[in-house]
Amino acid sequence: MNEMLTGVDWMSTIKPDGDDYVMAHIDWLKTASPDDWHRAALDFNWSNRLEPLLWIVMQDECDLATALDVFWRCEPGWDLMLMARGERVHHRDEIDIIACIAQRLHAGTYTRRRIAFDAEPGRIADYEAMERDCAKIADPPFRPHPDMIRSLRGHEVTNDRAFYARYPEVFHGTVWVDTPEWNGTTPDMVEARDQMRNIFFNLFGIGVLLAAMGAYLNDVGQYWKMMAGCAAMIAFWCWWINQATATVRAYLRSEFLPVPRRQMMVIYGGLVVFGIAWMQGYFALSDMAAAAEDMSLAARAARLGVFVGLIAPVWLGLRWAAQHYTYRRLFRR
């Protein structure tokens, strides 16, 4: 165990189950903002009674991202899976929360959508499993809704020292511990790295295609099919990059780490510019070779060697840069 955690009384984070404690917690929530409701939900110790969470998701001003985060922490697919198998379903306190959120999603009453949210790949898989299980149940307790896995644009809300300072200590569900920087990797970090590698390659490719389209502008009538193909490829890559970035954001939030949106946008733009510059450089070399008017086999082999010599270090460099950025920047503790 990490020595920084030695001596922490974990049992002290499990609070009394008395009505007075629960009502006091709800009374504090009544004085807080929807953003702090989100922080309180992130901090919540699920060994305690769940009435404060139910109170939050029932409020008109509860943000959709807060409701979704609570919903997925309730493991909603568990009961549907048992019902689809014909097995006995035992009552869980989470059922009331799940039913409330699902009902409000179908009614469209979560109108506040200011906090960012992205569904993790595991939750997307669980959603698909819930759809399959519901099809096997005559009268399911709730039905999936597309908003359960839809990404939400908004501002990032994470727990920080400022929140824990104004949040009464008696309601704290977690322990704030300053741990030394850790250089290890988790499965989520590895998956995020793989996503970032593909993102880096695709952004570079978008720059290359944009440069190629610029060259085709000289004769649109002849090259319009190529331009249409490039445009279609760029559109697909942009869609894919958006999905992959949402996955990375979800992994960061699952580790309670900030999402550096501006930094990521700057890096994304820089990779596109790099792709454009690389392609322009290749065009310049091709023009020099064409000016030499040497079409021999040796000359062609030399040009192919130049192309491979240009692309190989880029491929290796982007792999290294994506891993370094993921491990040393995004997931740095």
Side-chain angles (χ1 to χ4, degrees), residues 94-260:
E94 291 88 345
I95 294 296
D96 293 335
I97 298 177
I98 293 170
C100 173
I101 295 173
Q103 181 180 10
R104 292 196 61 184
L105 285 173
H106 284 281
T109 58
Y110 282 118
T111 57
R112 188 184 195 272
R113 304 186 177 197
R114 302 179 187 174
I115 300 175
F117 174 84
D118 293 290
E120 299 172 35
R123 291 176 176 176
I124 295 174
D126 288 345
Y127 177 85
E128 294 170 349
M130 288 194 302
E131 287 188 313
R132 293 192 297 269
D133 289 337
C134 275
K136 303 175 184 176
I137 303 171
D139 186 22
F142 72 93
R143 293 189 180 277
H145 187 279
D147 278 352
M148 292 174 180
I149 54 172
R150 183 167 289 140
S151 292
L152 300 172
R153 294 185 179 275
H155 60 279
E156 297 292 333
V157 176
T158 56
N159 290 350
D160 52 23
R161 291 186 182 277
F163 170 67
Y164 284 108
R166 63 178 177 272
Y167 191 40
E169 186 174 355
V170 67
F171 304 135
H172 287 192
T174 57
V175 177
W176 185 281
V177 180
D178 281 323
T179 57
E181 186 172 343
W182 181 62
N183 294 322
T185 59
T186 65
D188 285 357
M189 291 169 63
V190 173
E191 176 63 23
R193 178 207 61 190
D194 293 342
Q195 295 286 349
M196 290 304 300
R197 280 178 174 173
N198 290 328
I199 289 170
F200 276 34
F201 291 142
N202 287 350
L203 287 167
F204 172 79
I206 287 174
V208 169
L209 291 181
L210 287 174
M213 291 176 69
Y216 296 150
L217 287 174
N218 295 328
D219 193 349
V220 177
Q222 180 179 355
Y223 296 111
W224 69 270
K225 290 183 180 180
M226 292 183 180
M227 293 189 68
C230 288
M233 183 63 72
I234 289 173
F236 173 76
W237 280 347
C238 286
W239 173 84
W240 191 94
I241 289 168
N242 183 63
Q243 299 298 111
T245 303
T247 298
V248 174
R249 290 196 301 258
Y251 282 137
L252 285 170
R253 295 191 193 105
S254 70
E255 304 249 359
F256 299 103
L257 294 170
V259 179

Side-chain angles (χ1 to χ4, degrees), residues 276-331:
I276 293 173
W278 184 92
M279 195 62 181
Q280 293 289 2
Y282 178 73
F283 283 156
L285 290 175
S286 296
D287 291 342
M288 292 173 58
E293 297 183 351
D294 186 353
M295 301 302 294
S296 64
L297 180 60
R300 293 180 181 180
R303 286 198 289 273
L304 178 60
V306 169
F307 179 81
V308 173
L310 287 173
I311 198 65
V314 170
W315 185 81
L316 293 172
L318 289 177
R319 281 178 58 88
W320 175 87
Q323 177 167 317
H324 181 83
Y325 179 62
T326 304
Y327 289 168
R328 304 305 174 202
R329 296 296 177 184
L330 294 180
F331 285 87

